[in-house]
Amino acid sequence: MSPSQNSHVNRAPLRVVVLISGSGSNLQALIDGQQQGLLDIDIVAVLSNKADAYGLIRAETAGIATRVLNHRDFADRDSYDQALITCIDEFEPQLLVLAGFMRILTPTFTQHYLGRTLNIHPSLLPKYPGLHTHQRALEAGDSEHGASVHFVTAELDGGPVILQARVPVESGDTEDSLAARVLTQEHIIYAQVVQWFAEGRLRLNGDRAELDGAPLSTTGAS
């Protein structure tokens, strides 16, 4: 993937904040793309609800500011999300990227960042929202599985799909082997979608995602 010919013309890098809860492999893919000049972004901060998230080390190694906001320190989801909004807004992001952030977000939060929040989910949405997607695909006997990048709305894993990657389910697949192949594709499609947003080509228009002014199909692309 490479930026379009006009992607660097009169455009500062897109200010991005990434939210994580775990290892941060999708975060690393974005850091790599930024450092290699493939993505027109500036990851200005990485935030986590878990102090031991390995993704924080990835960010610190790359010289990116980090913050930890432990949800257990707050009385309820609303108060946590209000504090999270305050923390995020200090960095003035143009795009919020959820990369394995294991929190159900309140409508107040999703509305505050509506149209500028992306998430990646390890299934071919609308199939298998929520957790344990790889095991669910195997138990259902699916012939293919995959990942979806979508805009975040108040509905859990329900925002308009932008791009999907499809992975064949192979004979003898385990949850771990299938997850590993899906994760490889996640790194590719998430970077692509972030770049589209950075180039000003992608937007949320009502309840649909549009690329270059044209609506994307409800299942994205493969």
Side-chain angles (χ1 to χ4, degrees), residues 3-192:
S4 67
Q5 290 181 339
N6 295 323
S7 63
H8 292 283
V9 177
N10 298 325
R11 179 181 290 119
L14 188 80
R15 294 178 62 84
V16 176
V17 166
V18 182
L19 270 58
I20 62 167
S21 295
S23 69
S25 69
N26 272 302
L27 165 65
Q28 187 65 58
L30 297 179
I31 291 172
D32 292 346
Q34 172 182 313
Q35 293 179 337
Q36 294 164 13
L38 299 175
L39 300 178
D40 300 329
I41 64 173
D42 179 13
I43 302 174
V44 293
V46 173
L47 280 62
S48 178
N49 63 317
K50 296 185 177 181
D52 62 351
Y54 184 70
L56 294 171
I57 297 176
R58 297 181 189 271
E60 290 165 0
T61 300
I64 299 169
T66 62
R67 297 287 187 275
V68 175
L69 202 63
N70 191 331
H71 58 279
R72 299 184 186 279
D73 294 337
F74 294 82
D76 52 40
R77 198 177 298 277
D78 286 330
S79 58
Y80 178 79
D81 278 11
Q82 287 291 351
L84 190 59
I85 288 171
T86 299
C87 185
I88 291 168
D89 284 354
E90 289 178 8
F91 295 97
E92 301 180 343
Q94 296 165 286
L95 178 66
L96 190 60
V97 172
L98 309 185
F101 188 61
M102 304 303 289
R103 295 281 301 165
I104 296 175
L105 299 166
T106 60
T108 297
F109 185 96
T110 57
Q111 183 62 40
H112 186 75
Y113 299 106
L114 189 64
R116 53 193 181 109
T117 311
L118 301 175
N119 184 47
I120 190 156
H121 183 73
S123 81
L124 296 173
L125 291 172
K127 278 185 135 180
Y128 312 130
L131 301 175
H132 310 300
T133 60
H134 310 302
Q135 187 62 37
R136 289 157 70 188
L138 290 171
E139 290 174 351
D142 291 352
S143 61
E144 66 176 6
H145 187 43
S148 307
V149 182
H150 65 95
F151 278 110
V152 173
T153 63
E155 181 184 355
L156 176 65
D157 298 328
V161 171
I162 301 162
L163 186 64
Q164 293 183 321
R166 298 175 183 273
V167 174
V169 178
E170 298 177 356
S171 175
D173 256 333
T174 65
E175 185 176 0
D176 288 343
S177 65
L178 183 56
R181 294 205 311 283
V182 170
L183 188 60
T184 297
Q185 296 302 313
E186 287 184 29
H187 298 164
I188 297 169
I189 64 172
Y190 216 175
Q192 177 65 81

